[in-house]
Amino acid sequence: MIRIKAVVFDFDGTISTLRAGWEDIMIPLMKDSITGGVQLSKEQEAQLHQQILTYIDQSTGIQTIYQMRWLAETVQNAGWNQEILDEWEYKAEYNRRLLERVKERVDRLEIGDLRAENFLIQGAAEFVKTLHEIGFELYMASGTDHPDVVREAEVLGVKQYFKEIVGAPVGKAECSKEKVLRDLMEEKGLAGNEVAVIGDGKVEILLGKEVGGLALGLASDEEKRTGINPVKERRLQAAGADWISGDFLNLNEWLEKLGV
């Protein structure tokens, strides 16, 4: 008898690499918004850069709107930029910049100009298909906007394996990962030890541990799509992950961790 009944997956960086490099878009957006074009000293610039890097490292995996809320507060507190936007305006600009890159990839995947396997963590498609065939209920929870997650999961060929896909609700500040876990506990009556969470960010690992579930870390190298990313590994260890891998090529080991 399988002890784990439901598996909750993060999407970006755990299954998909379509949004790999999002940090390279968020960092300059934050820096430009905070400084407002004011020329900083080298020391101020270094401090600000480190502040942004530290925040992004701490917040990876949460809904984008919360990161933009931090940005709005930081712009106000810094006092350099007199044009202070609200969190939704910052999010809109971030999404605009990010989707310039992502939309092209998704469009080309839809017409067959690109291959889905080149944007999946290695072994991910076979892993979710295997879990589905075994009988696990699979859920996807992401901090990315819901319509985008659904479309991206579809073009990558994994959508059909998930019982439910939950992204960030458009126009609302609500944690999709917390919602999925709460629904599994409250509405479906699952106990914590019947749920496993798999992700590359500390948010889902912490939430998984909080409900008493099995928290499996995926310290993915999104460029190579295989192997351990030591930065993510340290982040996941600090969050209390029960086990960490870099990809899903070690299928039997993953199945063993899930009690198969």
Side-chain angles (χ1 to χ4, degrees), residues 48-79:
L48 176 59
H49 186 69
Q50 189 55 53
Q51 181 185 12
I52 292 170
L53 289 183
T54 299
Y55 177 72
I56 287 178
D57 180 66
Q58 292 173 346
S59 66
T60 296
I62 69 171
Q63 194 179 332
T64 307
I65 191 60
Y66 294 118
Q67 293 173 308
M68 297 300 105
R69 181 175 296 172
W70 176 88
L71 175 59
E73 291 170 354
T74 305
V75 172
Q76 185 167 21
N77 292 336

Side-chain angles (χ1 to χ4, degrees), residues 145-258:
D145 283 354
H146 180 76
D148 296 328
V149 179
V150 173
R151 186 184 180 204
E152 291 165 30
E154 187 164 15
V155 297
L156 290 178
V158 296
K159 178 175 176 282
Q160 69 268 30
Y161 302 122
F162 289 87
K163 187 177 180 68
E164 187 177 5
I165 295 176
V166 181
V170 178
K172 292 182 182 178
E174 183 181 275
C175 180
S176 53
K177 296 173 184 179
E178 186 176 0
K179 180 183 184 302
V180 169
L181 287 169
R182 186 176 64 243
D183 288 351
L184 287 173
M185 305 286 117
E186 297 176 1
E187 295 182 13
K188 303 187 187 302
L190 293 182
N193 63 3
E194 293 177 316
V195 177
V197 177
I198 299 175
D200 73 320
K202 74 172 190 177
V203 172
E204 54 265 26
I205 297 300
L206 288 170
L207 286 171
K209 298 298 290 183
E210 189 178 306
V211 301
L214 178 66
L216 304 177
L218 198 282
S220 56
D221 181 326
E222 295 182 53
E223 186 176 331
K224 297 177 181 176
R225 298 182 298 106
T226 186
I228 292 276
N229 176 331
V231 175
K232 287 188 181 182
E233 183 178 34
R234 288 193 292 272
R235 185 188 298 155
L236 294 167
Q237 286 171 339
D242 295 304
W243 180 70
I244 299 171
S245 182
D247 51 51
F248 298 104
L249 293 173
N250 49 340
L251 178 60
N252 290 334
E253 200 170 359
W254 277 98
L255 294 177
E256 183 183 333
K257 296 298 177 185
L258 291 170

Side-chain angles (χ1 to χ4, degrees), residues 60 80-81 96 114 196 248:
T60 296
W80 291 313
N81 190 352
R96 185 191 68 77
L114 291 175
F248 298 104

Side-chain angles (χ1 to χ4, degrees), residues 4-201:
I4 299 292
K5 294 181 180 178
V7 183
V8 180
F9 281 84
D10 173 50
F11 184 60
D12 296 308
T14 300
I15 293 175
S16 168
T17 64
L18 279 170
R19 292 172 179 254
W22 61 268
E23 300 96 332
D24 298 332
I25 291 170
M26 187 174 287
I27 290 168
L29 170 67
M30 287 184 164
K31 190 176 292 185
D32 294 345
S33 300
I34 293 167
T35 63
V38 172
Q39 190 66 40
L40 305 183
S41 68
K42 286 186 177 179
E43 183 180 353
Q44 286 176 316
E45 192 164 330
Q47 288 176 345
L48 176 59
H49 186 69
Q50 189 55 53
Q51 181 185 12
I52 292 170
L53 289 183
T54 299
Y55 177 72
I56 287 178
D57 180 66
Q58 292 173 346
S59 66
T60 296
I62 69 171
Q63 194 179 332
T64 307
I65 191 60
Y66 294 118
Q67 293 173 308
M68 297 300 105
R69 181 175 296 172
W70 176 88
L71 175 59
E73 291 170 354
T74 305
V75 172
Q76 185 167 21
N77 292 336
W80 291 313
N81 190 352
Q82 300 310 305
E83 184 183 1
I84 304 172
L85 306 181
D86 69 29
E87 58 204 58
W88 295 102
E89 291 172 308
Y90 285 125
K91 181 184 175 181
E93 176 58 18
Y94 169 70
N95 276 348
R96 185 191 68 77
R97 297 186 188 189
L98 178 62
L99 290 176
E100 281 181 358
R101 175 194 298 179
V102 177
K103 187 178 183 302
E104 181 190 359
R105 293 174 177 174
V106 173
D107 288 345
R108 292 177 67 189
L109 280 164
E110 282 186 333
I111 63 174
D113 195 28
L114 291 175
R115 299 176 64 181
E117 65 190 59
N118 294 327
F119 297 96
L120 288 162
I121 297 297
Q122 290 195 28
E126 183 184 358
F127 181 52
V128 295
K129 180 183 178 184
T130 300
L131 294 187
H132 176 74
E133 290 173 347
I134 288 172
F136 287 101
E137 288 190 354
L138 305 185
Y139 297 85
M140 185 186 294
S142 174
T144 297
D145 283 354
H146 180 76
D148 296 328
V149 179
V150 173
R151 186 184 180 204
E152 291 165 30
E154 187 164 15
V155 297
L156 290 178
V158 296
K159 178 175 176 282
Q160 69 268 30
Y161 302 122
F162 289 87
K163 187 177 180 68
E164 187 177 5
I165 295 176
V166 181
V170 178
K172 292 182 182 178
E174 183 181 275
C175 180
S176 53
K177 296 173 184 179
E178 186 176 0
K179 180 183 184 302
V180 169
L181 287 169
R182 186 176 64 243
D183 288 351
L184 287 173
M185 305 286 117
E186 297 176 1
E187 295 182 13
K188 303 187 187 302
L190 293 182
N193 63 3
E194 293 177 316
V195 177
V197 177
I198 299 175
D200 73 320

